[in-house]
Each structure stands twice: as C-alpha cells, then as structure tokens.
Amino acid sequence: MKPIQVGLLGIGTVGSGTFNVLQRNQEEIRRRAGRGIEITMVADLDTARAQAIVGPDVKVVNDARAIIANPDIDIVIELIGGYGIAKALVMEAIAAGKHVVTANKALLAVHGTEIFAAASAKGVMVAFEAAVAGGIPIIKALREGLTANSIQWIAGIINGTTNFILSEMRDKGLDFAVVLKEAQRLGYAEADPTFDIEGVDAAHKVTLMSAIAFGIPVQFDKAYVEGITQLGATDIKYAEQLGYRIKLLGITKRTAQGIELRVHPSLVPSKRLIANVEGAMNAVVVQGDAVGTTLYYGKGAGSEPTASAVIADLVDITRLHTADPHHRVPHLAFQPDAMSDLRVLPMSEVVTSYYLRLRVADEAGVLAEVTGLLAKSGISIDAVLQREADEVSGEGGTSTDLIILTHNTREGTMNDALAQLQKLPTVLAPIVRIRKEELN
C-alpha cells in the first residue's frame, strides 16, 4: 500500500521531534502500522527554518489551509496550540474529511465536546495522546487498557514545571519566587509561566482524563483550579516532618454525589510512589475496581517524548483508516450515545482532609480556643503540632506556628470554620490551608 500522507501544522519543538522520530524509526513504524507514514507537507510561518528541518523533499508552506485543501493529505497534525486559529483549522480539517492528531489540551478541554461531535458526524478520528502527560500513554491506558474497570479515581502530577519547582523548594528550602526564576533560567518554566504555576495546564489535562474515565462531556469550566504561587518553604518543611510531601495534583473522583474535578497543592504521604516523583517528571495514579491501583510514570513534555505520543496516534489512525467508524474506539472511551450526565461537584461539596497552619499568639488557652471552634463546626482533628515560640508579635509577646491535620471534612464546612478562626484576635496572620490526599 502507498504510504499514508500527513500534513504538519507547526514545526516547533514537538513538530521537529515528530518529524525526526518518524524518519529515524520509519521502518519499524511501517512494520507496525501495515503501511508507511510520511509527513509530506509542513505549514509554518518561518518557512526557511522549517525547510531546513525537513529537507528538500517535503513541501513547506506558510498557509496551514493549503494543507487542509490538499486532497492527498490523509491526516493533519495540529501543533500550533491555543484556542484561536488552532480551533478553526481543526474544525476545517474535520469538515474536509481529514483525521486529526493534536497535542492541544487547552483546545480539547474547552472545545472538545464540539470537536468530537463534528468528527463523529464526519466519520473521522481526533487523536490526542500527546495532549496529556507527554510521552506517557495514559489516554490509551484509560480508553482501552482499563476498559473493563469502573474507574474510581485518578490523581496525577501532570505539569512538569510545577513539579520541578516544588522539588527544588523541598530540596533547597527556598521560597517559590526564587525557584521560579531558576526554573525560567534553566528552561523548565516559560517567560510567562501563568498557565503552569496557576494550575490551568494541569486542569486542562485532568478534564480530559475525567471525561474518558467517567464517560462525561469535557467540562473545563467546572474544574476547581488552584496553583502553587502561595506555597511557602515553611509548609513544605512542616509537611516533611509530618511524613508528607506537597505535590500539585490533578484529581478526578467518582462519588455518590457526582464527579470531583480539581487541581490544587496536596499533602501526599511520603511513602506513596507518586510522592517521590521529582523534577520535571510526570506520574498518574489510576484506581480501578478490578485492577486496583496502577501507576504511569515518565517524561511529561519535551520534543521526542511528546513526539512518541503523536506518532502512536498516527499509527492508530493508519491501522483504522479504512475501518467502519462504528468499530473504532470512541474519542472519550464511551459510545457517544451512552455518555453520562453525572454532575461535576462544586468545590464546596468536595470532602477531603486538611493541613492547617495558624500563626498564633503564644499564650495560654489559644490551642483550646482553636480546637474548640473546629469541634463546634463538626471538624474532627487527626493531629496537632505546636512549634517552639520564636518571634516577637508586638507588645513584648511571642508567636508560634500551630499545625493541625484534620479528618475528612466537607470543603464548605472548612471554609466557614476558617472564616471564624481568622477573626480570633490570637490568630496573627492569614491561615494556610492545604488539602491532604492519602491516595489509598
């Protein structure tokens, strides 16, 4: 059979990696796919640079729509990113009957329902393994490998930038702002790192995993998103003393009330494998009713790791290119007419446990006052740690850190209790609250 022809939109870091790996491993890929896969056309604004990467045998254009209009192109790879022109091009490629491979988690998390519906109506595939956790084949695992399971929960370190920052903060005892500058200098963080450090990138990814795990539409607008910008070295140190590490987790969970969908810093027991994922690495833990706990670990970004996922999608589409659309794996694992309307819970209804740090006046009765107020709110305490008094708080007095670990509590209840605690005259600074996840 003649090779399947692929058009590539954008040849940056991932695009060049995809071209190079496809060239390097072309014979092995052909043996697996059953026919050759060739990138025959590339669109990029910097045509000279693109031509230098792909050589003289590949046509380079500066207009992505020229690729979509080419009747010889079977698959379009979208690596432009963002919500704007990328969405228009993906929708146009689908309308033209092209299969699409994309690494664009932001696009799919926000507009996935519309895109998948258009693809199903046209009988084409939209593949997106590279959109979540780079080279880790977590989409395939959820959509196919674990298809016998009722998935109970997923928790993932799915942003390498934030994991690198938290690892450095723990190792070196430095505060967030200092480590962020170092991460930018080393190239782990973008010049504008907002999507990473505020948790948005992780929320895009966990939104997609949640949809596949539970058969619900992609609903990024209902995700709770909290980043790492307010974390201090003090809390990372205290967590360590208590037997925990702080990780930015993307969490989605099935409960009797609905689906949890949230991203925030979490205390994780240091004995858990995921707590020991360091640097820019990614890891995803999936709990299924039949399989139990499974862990997926690897590089979450980078040129060739992400290219690995892009090319795996190309091979899948090549194998199924001529198959009846009804015999293909559905985009979100469940048949389109069998999607669930389970609601995504607002954060106020989520039940979890907490780490609280209160800076309080070092005087008699403060601990009793704090724990009494929590008890009155129905919040059960798991452990209390009081540090040595060390700072002058004015009027010749001293202050101390009071660390409290709670049992499971509804978030709304905790919010109300914290508002009351913050009003106490003996509480001298804003209370730090970090959620705790045992992951067992």
Side-chain angles (χ1 to χ4, degrees), residues 6 10 23 32 37 53-54 61 130 177 180 269 308 317 332 361 387 426:
V6 179
Q23 290 285 100
R32 287 175 169 156
I37 301 172
I53 293 170
V54 301
V61 296
L180 173 60
S308 169
I317 290 175
L332 296 177
R387 310 309 300 165
T426 50

Side-chain angles (χ1 to χ4, degrees), residues 373 412-424 431:
L373 197 154
T413 303
M414 178 58 74
N415 290 341
D416 292 342
L418 288 179
Q420 295 178 57
L421 285 171
Q422 196 67 70
K423 291 176 184 175
L424 294 176
I431 298 169

Side-chain angles (χ1 to χ4, degrees), residues 134-187:
I136 304 172
I138 187 62
I139 300 299
K140 194 171 223 14
L142 289 170
R143 197 162 54 186
E144 298 175 50
L146 299 177
T147 195
N149 288 259
S150 173
I151 303 296
Q152 294 163 339
W153 55 262
I154 299 171
I157 295 170
I158 43 181
N159 182 273
T161 300
T162 49
N163 201 53
F164 173 81
I165 290 170
L166 292 175
S167 297
E168 289 290 290
M169 287 174 71
R170 186 181 68 82
D171 286 346
K172 298 177 180 176
L174 300 172
D175 274 319
F176 170 79
V178 176
V179 178
L180 173 60
K181 286 181 181 176
E182 178 67 3
Q184 288 172 316
R185 187 185 70 80
L186 294 171

